[in-house]
Amino acid sequence: MQNERRLAVLRAIVEDYVATEEPVGSKSLVERHGLGVSPATVRNDMAALEEEGYITQPHTSAGRVPTDKGYRLFVDRLTTVKAMSSAEKRAITSFMAGAVDLDDVVGRSVRLLSQLTRQVAVVQYPTLSRSTVRHVELVALAPMRLLAVLILSTGRVEQRVVDLPAAIDDDTLANLRASVNGAAAGELIAQATTRLREVAERAPETTSAITGAVVTTLVEAMSDHRSDQRVAVGGASNLARYGDSFDTAVRPLLEALEEHVVLLKLMGEATTGGLVTVRIGAEGPYEQLAQTSVVATGYGPSDEALASLGIVGPTRMDYPGTMAAVRAVARYLSNILDEA
Amino acid sequence: MQNERRLAVLRAIVEDYVATEEPVGSKSLVERHGLGVSPATVRNDMAALEEEGYITQPHTSAGRVPTDKGYRLFVDRLTTVKAMSSAEKRAITSFMAGAVDLDDVVGRSVRLLSQLTRQVAVVQYPTLSRSTVRHVELVALAPMRLLAVLILSTGRVEQRVVDLPAAIDDDTLANLRASVNGAAAGELIAQATTRLREVAERAPETTSAITGAVVTTLVEAMSDHRSDQRVAVGGASNLARYGDSFDTAVRPLLEALEEHVVLLKLMGEATTGGLVTVRIGAEGPYEQLAQTSVVATGYGPSDEALASLGIVGPTRMDYPGTMAAVRAVARYLSNILDEA
DNA sequence: CTCTGGCACTCAGATCCGGTGAGTGCCAAT
DNA sequence: ATTGGCACTCACCGGATCTGAGTGCCAGAG
């Protein structure tokens, strides 16, 4: 695959097919794009491209359609990610302005992303593992029952009810609150858990049972990987545009969207720095999703990847535009988390 | 509409149609159900039912299909809500067991409901307006910045960052925390807001600006109706079973599911006490959703309706079973909130 | 007055069939 | 290497035909 024009032909086929949703033939190709050669020449190139597996015909006497391999080449070598126009940037800014809490930020991001790309958007909540503890609050609900609230640097709040083995008085509670915060506040989750365990061990005999219960709950909350799997999904109505291929494309995708674990595996490892990952069709492990692609990237404050975000859609999509939108939203989201 | 047998025929038509998804004819009707009369007799009844608008034929020479009016009569007069089997009850209990926080409870409920009914489930988060303030926590983030955390009786937690007009020291913060909690803790939202405003007015000159900022933020968080509109949606993959009628049924529904405001209007006023509301097809204000029905009810601790929950699905659905499932989940959820 | 068997009628959906045209592959000429 | 020409293929479209489930109506029986 060295021939220069062939690449141009492939690019033209992909662009046309994405735009029209119909197999593209040699004649319409030379008309719509200004390649200065005749249809017959293009036909030769197409035959070669088909030979090499980049395109295929649905049936004889029909135009060509890109294969997964063709899309792959397209995104890897024929794509320059467009920058967002300043109008689009303004739109993003105004859309995100006024978000009040983490849920709100994530919710807005997912809506924004789905509107920009007209695809189904997925945003993972910031993972616990790389954030720090901002504050721990203990509130007495009843003599033998506490509410433990864990506030993290990403704005995330975890809460647990703790049933105590014995009643607790106000002084003990205040002491406990102070020591727990002294140990955990400002620390990374990993450090905080070990330091909290030390607190539990050093606790005076009289309160060790209570301290133990509280610490256990906190540590549990911090290492709760279930909550790492929280994701927000939006723009499912964009699936309506699939129209055709309901059974083969939409149904499995709808199912995948409910399986957050699957979804996160699809999005893959979070990476930052403007690197956008593209998984095309059957490249992934889920044969059900052979007709869907994933465009994803990581986000997080100061380029530290906290979580991933992206879209899922048909293999036949506008990759350059989608990649640009995903990158833009990830950057914006990272900035917001930086400030907060 | 007095004739006894006609009602039986209508019931049979509804049941058959729901089961087979195909227009039902007179012959198959008498076969499948043991009505002891001939097809010709049934035909006469069907003609009468059609005359009165309870059923209709898609085209001449086809079987009959229930109209919205027919379904309405069916649920109003021909339905006895089944009790859940004890096996189903056990399933519910084990499914909900081990939920750790409000998000988790709501998330499990919505999944449970969608699995029980094989429809799209919707659960509204408990509204702020009828819950009480359990505790207010103020955490210093920076000299001039606080995090205000509002913990409500329903287990809901709201958080806001407050930018202060002046720096705050630890003593002032402690005082402020005490007075805010004194005013708000244990009160209903409505009372809490007025009492908080009093606190702001009575604040000594030196701290009035700071107090004002904090109180304003808290009051704002409490009256934030945006967060009343939080809902969880699950089981969208059940839409795949619509198969046919993608454009007329699935697409508008997918769109409605993203518009939480619309969704909440559909679910309507929350009512408790086992009363399940059913809205059938075009009875609602949204003509887009002429082919979908809503089965909903309210839930909340001690039979006080905090929010609503239910399912949306095709008008052609198993109403008795669905109503039973909705009622069961609402009860279970109410119990959980009662304990917490 | 109600029910039933019989019968002619209707019409959506399946099946068949020839025509049309976009698109192809191949070849000889430039 | 490129191009114009040409024969060929085959999905798709529209019309014609067939089939059968289901209906409405009527006359006779209970």
Side-chain angles (χ1 to χ4, degrees):
Chain A
M1 179 45 104
Q2 57 295 73
N3 191 315
E4 203 51 41
R5 197 190 50 226
R6 276 193 204 161
L7 286 176
V9 169
L10 177 58
R11 158 187 270 132
I13 290 174
V14 170
E15 286 173 358
D16 257 34
Y17 182 60
V18 166
T20 65
E21 313 204 359
E22 268 168 23
V24 7
S26 53
K27 192 175 160 201
S28 45
L29 243 200
V30 292
E31 278 170 9
R32 296 167 56 102
H33 304 258
L35 350 169
V37 292
S38 80
T41 312
V42 170
R43 278 209 287 282
N44 290 329
D45 289 339
M46 287 167 104
L49 284 169
E50 180 160 23
E51 178 71 21
E52 293 170 77
Y54 295 108
I55 56 180
T56 182
Q57 353 184 12
H59 53 263
T60 337
S61 91
R64 303 307 214 289
V65 162
T67 59
D68 288 358
K69 192 178 170 190
Y71 284 122
R72 168 56 55 200
L73 185 65
F74 177 78
V75 312
D76 285 350
R77 298 192 39 200
L78 304 174
T79 291
T80 49
V81 183
K82 303 178 222 164
M84 293 258 118
S85 73
S86 64
E88 284 170 311
K89 278 186 188 158
R90 272 199 306 279
I92 294 180
T93 312
S94 71
F95 195 97
M96 297 295 291
V100 296
D101 61 10
L102 184 67
D103 270 340
D104 200 14
V105 169
V106 171
R108 282 173 191 236
S109 301
V110 81
R111 252 174 297 154
L112 172 63
L113 194 52
S114 69
Q115 283 176 21
L116 284 176
T117 60
R118 317 226 322 139
Q119 306 284 2
V120 180
V122 181
V123 177
Q124 180 187 11
Y125 277 72
T127 43
L128 293 180
S129 45
R130 306 206 195 162
S131 45
T132 60
V133 176
R134 190 178 267 165
H135 185 73
V136 178
E137 186 50 43
L138 303 174
V139 184
L141 300 181
M144 293 183 57
R145 198 176 240 193
L146 291 184
L147 181 70
V149 180
L150 185 62
I151 301 166
L152 301 175
S153 60
T154 49
R156 189 145 148 180
V157 176
E158 293 285 321
Q159 29 160 343
R160 293 286 188 283
V161 174
V162 191
D163 281 311
L164 300 177
I168 189 169
D169 60 62
D170 283 355
D171 280 353
T172 320
L173 180 57
N175 285 337
L176 185 54
R177 186 184 291 133
S179 61
V180 163
N181 271 296
E187 301 291 334
L188 277 169
I189 293 286
Q191 268 105 58
T193 53
T194 58
R195 294 195 53 182
L196 278 175
R197 287 219 181 81
E198 289 167 21
V199 167
E201 280 164 21
R202 278 204 303 265
E205 178 115 26
T206 49
T207 64
S208 76
I210 290 177
T211 309
V214 171
V215 164
T216 306
T217 306
L218 284 174
V219 168
E220 214 173 81
M222 288 180 187
S223 53
D224 189 349
H225 283 284
R226 178 193 58 80
S227 53
D228 271 6
Q229 293 161 358
R230 280 197 68 196
V231 294
V233 175
S237 59
N238 288 320
L239 287 179
R241 290 184 302 117
Y242 280 51
D244 55 341
S245 65
F246 185 92
D247 277 349
T248 57
V250 179
R251 185 197 304 267
L253 188 45
L254 272 175
E255 277 159 17
L257 289 180
E258 307 240 314
E259 283 299 326
H260 292 175
V261 186
V262 171
L263 212 47
L264 288 173
K265 226 171 222 156
L266 272 181
M267 310 268 295
E269 282 304 300
T271 50
T272 49
L275 288 177
V276 178
T277 309
V278 180
R279 190 191 66 75
I280 295 168
E283 287 175 6
Y286 303 100
E287 44 190 72
Q288 300 279 44
L289 299 177
Q291 295 196 21
T292 64
S293 287
V294 178
V295 178
T297 190
Y299 73 89
S302 340
D303 276 1
E304 189 191 358
L306 270 189
S308 46
L309 119 195
I311 63 96
V312 284
T315 46
R316 182 219 309 131
M317 75 164 76
D318 169 22
Y319 289 96
T322 305
M323 290 167 75
V326 167
R327 199 179 57 178
V329 173
R331 283 190 181 160
Y332 200 88
L333 196 47
S334 299
N335 285 344
I336 289 187
L337 290 181
D338 241 349
E339 291 166 14
Chain B
M1 179 46 101
Q2 58 293 70
N3 191 316
E4 202 52 39
R5 195 188 52 224
R6 276 191 203 163
L7 287 176
V9 169
L10 177 59
R11 160 188 270 132
I13 290 174
V14 170
E15 286 173 358
D16 256 34
Y17 183 60
V18 165
T20 65
E21 312 204 1
E22 269 168 21
V24 6
S26 53
K27 193 176 158 200
S28 45
L29 243 200
V30 293
E31 277 169 10
R32 295 167 57 100
H33 304 258
L35 351 171
V37 291
S38 81
T41 311
V42 171
R43 278 208 288 283
N44 289 330
D45 290 338
M46 286 167 106
L49 285 168
E50 179 160 23
E51 178 71 21
E52 293 169 76
Y54 294 109
I55 56 180
T56 181
Q57 356 184 11
H59 51 264
T60 338
S61 90
R64 304 306 214 289
V65 162
T67 60
D68 288 358
K69 193 178 170 191
Y71 284 121
R72 168 56 56 201
L73 184 65
F74 177 77
V75 311
D76 285 350
R77 298 194 36 202
L78 303 175
T79 290
T80 49
V81 182
K82 303 178 222 164
M84 293 258 117
S85 74
S86 64
E88 284 170 311
K89 277 185 189 159
R90 271 199 306 278
I92 295 180
T93 311
S94 73
F95 196 98
M96 297 296 291
V100 295
D101 60 10
L102 183 67
D103 270 340
D104 200 13
V105 169
V106 171
R108 282 172 192 236
S109 301
V110 81
R111 253 175 296 152
L112 172 62
L113 193 53
S114 70
Q115 284 176 22
L116 285 176
T117 60
R118 315 227 323 141
Q119 306 284 2
V120 180
V122 181
V123 177
Q124 181 186 11
Y125 277 73
T127 42
L128 292 181
S129 45
R130 305 205 195 160
S131 45
T132 59
V133 176
R134 189 176 268 166
H135 184 74
V136 178
E137 186 51 41
L138 303 174
V139 184
L141 300 180
M144 293 184 57
R145 198 177 239 191
L146 291 183
L147 181 71
V149 180
L150 185 61
I151 300 166
L152 301 175
S153 59
T154 48
R156 190 145 147 181
V157 176
E158 292 285 320
Q159 30 160 339
R160 295 286 188 282
V161 173
V162 191
D163 281 310
L164 299 177
I168 188 169
D169 60 61
D170 284 354
D171 281 353
T172 322
L173 180 58
N175 285 337
L176 185 55
R177 185 184 291 133
S179 62
V180 163
N181 271 296
E187 301 291 334
L188 276 170
I189 293 286
Q191 267 105 59
T193 53
T194 58
R195 295 194 52 180
L196 277 175
R197 286 218 183 80
E198 289 167 20
V199 167
E201 280 164 21
R202 278 202 303 266
E205 178 114 26
T206 49
T207 65
S208 76
I210 290 177
T211 309
V214 170
V215 165
T216 306
T217 306
L218 284 174
V219 168
E220 213 173 82
M222 288 180 188
S223 54
D224 189 349
H225 283 284
R226 178 193 59 79
S227 53
D228 272 6
Q229 293 161 359
R230 280 197 69 196
V231 294
V233 176
S237 60
N238 289 320
L239 287 179
R241 289 184 302 118
Y242 280 52
D244 55 340
S245 64
F246 185 92
D247 277 347
T248 57
V250 179
R251 186 197 304 268
L253 188 45
L254 272 174
E255 277 159 17
L257 289 181
E258 308 240 314
E259 283 301 326
H260 292 176
V261 186
V262 170
L263 213 47
L264 288 173
K265 226 171 223 154
L266 271 183
M267 310 269 295
E269 282 306 299
T271 51
T272 47
L275 288 176
V276 178
T277 308
V278 180
R279 190 191 66 74
I280 295 168
E283 287 175 4
Y286 302 99
E287 43 190 74
Q288 300 279 45
L289 299 177
Q291 295 195 21
T292 64
S293 288
V294 178
V295 178
T297 190
Y299 72 90
S302 341
D303 275 0
E304 189 189 0
L306 269 189
S308 46
L309 120 194
I311 64 95
V312 285
T315 46
R316 181 217 314 129
M317 74 164 75
D318 169 22
Y319 289 96
T322 306
M323 291 167 75
V326 167
R327 199 178 58 177
V329 174
R331 283 191 180 158
Y332 200 87
L333 197 47
S334 299
N335 285 344
I336 290 187
L337 291 181
D338 241 351
E339 291 168 14

